[in-house]
Amino acid sequence: MNAPEPFKSPQLGPADSGPSGPSALDRARRLCVAPMMDWTTRHCRFFHRLLAPNALLYTEMVTAAAVIYGKRDRLLGFNTAEHPVALQLGGSDPKALAEAAAIGQALGYDEINLNCGCPSDRVQKGAFGACLMREPMLVADCVQAMRESVSVPVTIKHRIGVDDENDYAFLFRFIEPLYAQGCKVFIVHARTALLKGLSPKENREIPPLHYDRLKALKQDFPQAQFVLNGGLTDALAVQWLDTLQADGLMLGRAAYHNPWLLRDLDALLFGEDAARPEHREAVIAPLQTYFEQGLEEGVPATAMTRHWHGLFHGQPGAVAWRRAMAEGRSPATAVA
């Protein structure tokens, strides 16, 4: 793996500009990387930013209580190169969510997103995530409280239904009061959440996809933005932008395991960009710099490298690279 000339990589230090404005966010939403627990950490997001300079990145879900009372640098810290980046919150108390949203904006996040789609048992016990789809007026109160506390967009990520409440009428009734309350961006995981009997992994795979629901929403709420999530695994995903009149695509595990897919989609959706690498090897130098700075700050090596294992997915040397990243070796050493 011989490295070509380096590309124009993001800054590692303070950026000249702050959070992205509304028009920049609207553009970035054409390609989003989904919030994924224990995966989309700051180290993962920096890596994804190297590959997709125009995409909108999302944090892991962080509960409102953790934002308010937890260790904010550990939970919410991010590199300025990650912009535009959104903070996803979990919770159902309007006051707590408003406080957490204000903290997120103060820290520099470009968007605040409320999780109304997670089906895990832990989230159900906390009475938020996908459970909230059954309480649209409560979610509307949460949206109102958050919008009153921040000037950045407040958005919703949700499923198309919950258990046997999964027809379009149910979905419409969920969206309508949120739209009336000023929420204009919805990320639609086009599967029903089955809260009993399926694991979170099974909930990402077993319930059938109904992409047609997004198109119907776009027709009923033409001034809103709808981003499609679920089942998008390759570059053919771009077809759904026109077919469904979608405003954007959100990829999850496919982008994590095969991150070069983000680079290809970024090129398809945004055109030429000097900050986009032409070769995988071009990413090594900025990763190495990031790695060295992280070690100086006391970050465990594997906390960073475990998110970079997919760089050479499907390429010669992929197994050796994955092993090196699992062991916490430096990127430069891994390709030497």
Side-chain angles (χ1 to χ4, degrees), residues 145-165:
M146 289 189 288
R147 292 191 73 240
E148 289 175 352
S149 70
V150 300
S151 58
V152 297
V154 173
T155 68
I156 303 291
K157 187 174 187 296
H158 59 91
R159 295 285 185 123
I160 58 171
V162 180
D163 294 331
D164 57 352
E165 298 175 281

Side-chain angles (χ1 to χ4, degrees), residues 162-182:
V162 180
D163 294 331
D164 57 352
E165 298 175 281
N166 56 19
D167 60 9
Y168 181 71
F170 174 80
L171 181 58
F172 183 93
R173 289 194 299 271
F174 175 71
I175 297 291
E176 187 175 36
L178 313 186
Y179 181 83
Q181 201 54 256

Side-chain angles (χ1 to χ4, degrees), residues 89-105:
L89 294 176
S92 58
D93 178 73
K95 182 178 179 181
L97 284 167
E99 184 176 353
I103 292 169
Q105 176 175 279

Side-chain angles (χ1 to χ4, degrees), residues 50-65:
L50 294 175
L51 300 171
N54 299 286
L56 176 57
L57 308 179
Y58 282 74
T59 68
E60 307 168 87
M61 182 186 69
V62 186
T63 67

Side-chain angles (χ1 to χ4, degrees), residues 19 22 24 30 59 71 83 117 137 171 191-192 214 217 228 256 281 316 321 334 336:
R30 287 178 63 79
T59 68
K71 296 182 179 179
H83 285 297
M137 300 314 298
L171 181 58
R191 287 186 172 95
T192 297
L214 187 142
L217 287 172
L228 178 65
Y256 189 87
E281 291 85 355
W321 172 265

Side-chain angles (χ1 to χ4, degrees), residues 110-332:
D110 300 289
E111 173 188 307
I112 306 298
N113 179 266
L114 179 62
N115 185 315
C116 294
C118 181
S120 75
D121 290 340
R122 182 173 66 86
V123 167
Q124 290 182 55
K125 290 176 182 177
F128 59 98
C131 299
L132 287 175
M133 291 196 70
R134 291 188 169 121
E135 301 185 67
M137 300 314 298
L138 172 59
V139 179
D141 289 342
C142 293
V143 168
Q144 178 183 13
M146 289 189 288
R147 292 191 73 240
E148 289 175 352
S149 70
V150 300
S151 58
V152 297
V154 173
T155 68
I156 303 291
K157 187 174 187 296
H158 59 91
R159 295 285 185 123
I160 58 171
V162 180
D163 294 331
D164 57 352
E165 298 175 281
N166 56 19
D167 60 9
Y168 181 71
F170 174 80
L171 181 58
F172 183 93
R173 289 194 299 271
F174 175 71
I175 297 291
E176 187 175 36
L178 313 186
Y179 181 83
Q181 201 54 256
C183 181
K184 296 298 188 287
V185 179
F186 301 87
I187 300 163
V188 185
H189 186 160
R191 287 186 172 95
T192 297
L194 301 179
L195 302 184
K196 303 298 181 184
L198 291 186
S199 69
K201 179 179 185 296
E202 291 169 330
N203 256 296
R204 294 191 298 270
E205 300 170 351
I206 292 177
L209 290 159
H210 292 285
Y211 288 169
D212 57 305
R213 303 288 173 85
L214 187 142
K215 186 173 183 178
L217 287 172
K218 188 65 178 178
Q219 292 172 344
D220 285 332
F221 302 94
Q223 301 306 311
Q225 293 183 43
F226 292 96
V227 176
L228 178 65
N229 176 229
L232 305 177
T233 60
D234 54 40
L236 293 176
V238 297
Q239 69 181 303
W240 298 114
L241 290 173
D242 292 331
T243 302
L244 302 175
Q245 302 172 19
D247 296 287
L249 305 170
M250 174 177 276
L251 279 75
R253 280 151 181 81
Y256 189 87
H257 293 304
N258 180 20
W260 195 251
L261 174 60
L262 290 176
R263 185 267 173 207
D264 290 342
L265 285 169
D266 193 280
L268 286 170
L269 294 171
F270 300 103
E272 294 297 321
D273 194 319
R276 187 185 303 119
E278 290 297 322
H279 305 280
R280 289 171 172 82
E281 291 85 355
V283 179
I284 301 301
L287 282 182
Q288 180 66 23
T289 301
Y290 183 90
F291 179 80
E292 292 172 357
Q293 290 187 2
L295 291 180
E296 290 177 2
E297 296 168 4
V299 179
T302 55
M304 296 179 279
T305 61
R306 71 184 180 92
H307 299 293
W308 306 341
H309 65 87
L311 177 59
F312 291 97
H313 176 83
Q315 302 298 304
V319 173
W321 172 265
R322 286 198 301 270
R323 184 183 302 114
M325 294 301 95
E327 294 171 352
R329 289 171 52 192
S330 73

